[in-house]
Amino acid sequence: MKTLGIIGGMGPMATVDLMRKIILSTDAKRDQEHIHMLVDCNTEVPDRTAAIEGRGESPVKEMLKSAKLLESQGADVIVIACNTAHYFLDEFKDKVNVPIINMVDETVKYCVDSGYSEVGLLCTIGTKNTGLYQKACDKFNLKLIVPDDEEIKAIQDMIYSGVKANNFDYDTSDVKTVISNMTKRGAQAFILGCTETPIAVQMYNLEGNFIDSSQVLANKAIEAVGARLIKN
């Protein structure tokens, strides 16, 4: 079995959530059948959305540092526990000698393979503005419904003021309205396009037909290192 490297810290809870999903989705009966994971929970990676909007420093230097560290420690495959960070992937992936799984592409492929023709996107402003999921959906002929300006503000506030702030009492009324309105616009399911959104679903008991990008990445990581995936 190969060794998995995780570029984490974006945010810390999303990193733990990905690790948990990898462990729970691995068909293992004893410790030795689980995946050897190397994790760099690098909280010094600058905010990805701020960088995309021109308000902050690029995260590429720190992400590359994490990737090279994981590679030097023996990682055979690398994943990034952050959707928005994939905007910067092309800037450093060729400087690393091991493959990096693309979470965005794999999530869209999963949607297509599941038979969806039209999906909504719950994400940060940064992810929306990069067009990451829009481009991937165009590539795989999947219609994507994106939040409007007010809707994206509600989602981002839940991520930053709710999940990242460990605020378990956060009022998600606005986000629930967003989900309802996007469903009326044709969304058959919702891509959880930020690694904090699956945590928000659990923290705030959000209801909907959700496609967890972190779970898709976890499944692909398990297969990539040669472990056994639990089939649902």
Side-chain angles (χ1 to χ4, degrees):
M1 193 186 305
K2 296 178 180 178
T3 298
L4 179 68
I6 300 176
I7 301 176
M10 304 176 282
M13 188 61 72
T15 306
V16 174
D17 182 59
L18 176 62
M19 292 179 65
R20 179 177 181 273
K21 285 168 178 164
I22 290 171
I23 293 166
L24 292 178
S25 300
T26 301
D27 185 2
K29 302 297 187 291
R30 57 196 181 105
D31 292 347
Q32 291 75 21
E33 293 176 344
H34 278 284
I35 294 169
H36 183 184
M37 287 188 275
L38 301 172
V39 183
D40 187 19
C41 192
N42 186 355
T43 55
E44 295 183 7
V45 178
D47 187 273
R48 283 65 60 201
T49 296
I52 290 165
E53 294 180 340
R55 298 183 288 105
E57 181 185 351
S58 168
V60 170
K61 179 180 177 182
E62 287 296 330
M63 290 174 67
L64 176 59
K65 184 170 84 172
S66 288
K68 297 299 287 184
L69 175 63
L70 293 168
E71 181 185 1
S72 70
Q73 294 299 310
D76 300 297
V77 181
I78 291 175
V79 295
I80 304 171
C82 174
N83 276 272
T84 310
H86 283 71
Y87 175 74
F88 303 95
L89 180 58
D90 286 345
E91 294 187 42
F92 71 90
K93 68 179 183 180
D94 291 339
K95 298 176 182 177
V96 183
N97 297 313
V98 297
I100 301 176
I101 299 174
N102 190 313
M103 173 194 269
V104 176
D105 281 355
E106 294 299 340
T107 300
V108 173
K109 288 179 190 175
Y110 176 85
C111 292
V112 174
D113 291 343
S114 299
Y116 295 114
S117 59
E118 197 166 351
V119 295
L121 178 64
L122 304 181
C123 64
T124 62
I125 292 172
T127 298
K128 177 187 174 181
N129 289 345
T130 63
L132 273 172
Y133 273 98
Q134 293 93 318
K135 292 171 185 173
C137 285
D138 287 345
K139 183 164 58 176
F140 294 102
N141 199 28
L142 178 68
K143 184 175 180 181
L144 184 68
I145 298 172
V146 297
D148 63 27
D149 290 346
E150 289 304 311
E151 290 171 337
I152 200 78
K153 287 179 184 177
I155 298 167
Q156 177 141 324
D157 191 70
M158 177 183 68
I159 292 167
Y160 279 84
S161 301
V163 177
K164 286 183 181 290
N166 288 325
N167 180 4
F168 285 83
D169 296 320
Y170 183 83
D171 182 0
T172 58
S173 299
D174 289 344
V175 175
K176 290 176 180 177
T177 299
V178 170
I179 292 170
S180 176
N181 289 342
M182 291 177 71
T183 299
K184 292 174 183 176
R185 299 206 297 271
Q188 300 165 324
F190 291 89
I191 293 174
L192 300 178
C194 169
T195 40
E196 267 90 12
T197 47
I199 301 170
V201 169
Q202 295 176 349
M203 284 176 68
Y204 309 125
N205 297 312
L206 297 178
E207 296 182 356
N209 186 12
F210 299 122
I211 297 163
D212 185 346
S213 58
S214 296
Q215 185 64 61
V216 172
L217 183 62
N219 292 355
K220 286 296 175 182
I222 291 167
E223 293 174 342
V225 300
R228 296 189 302 270
L229 175 66
I230 295 175
K231 301 295 184 181
N232 296 323

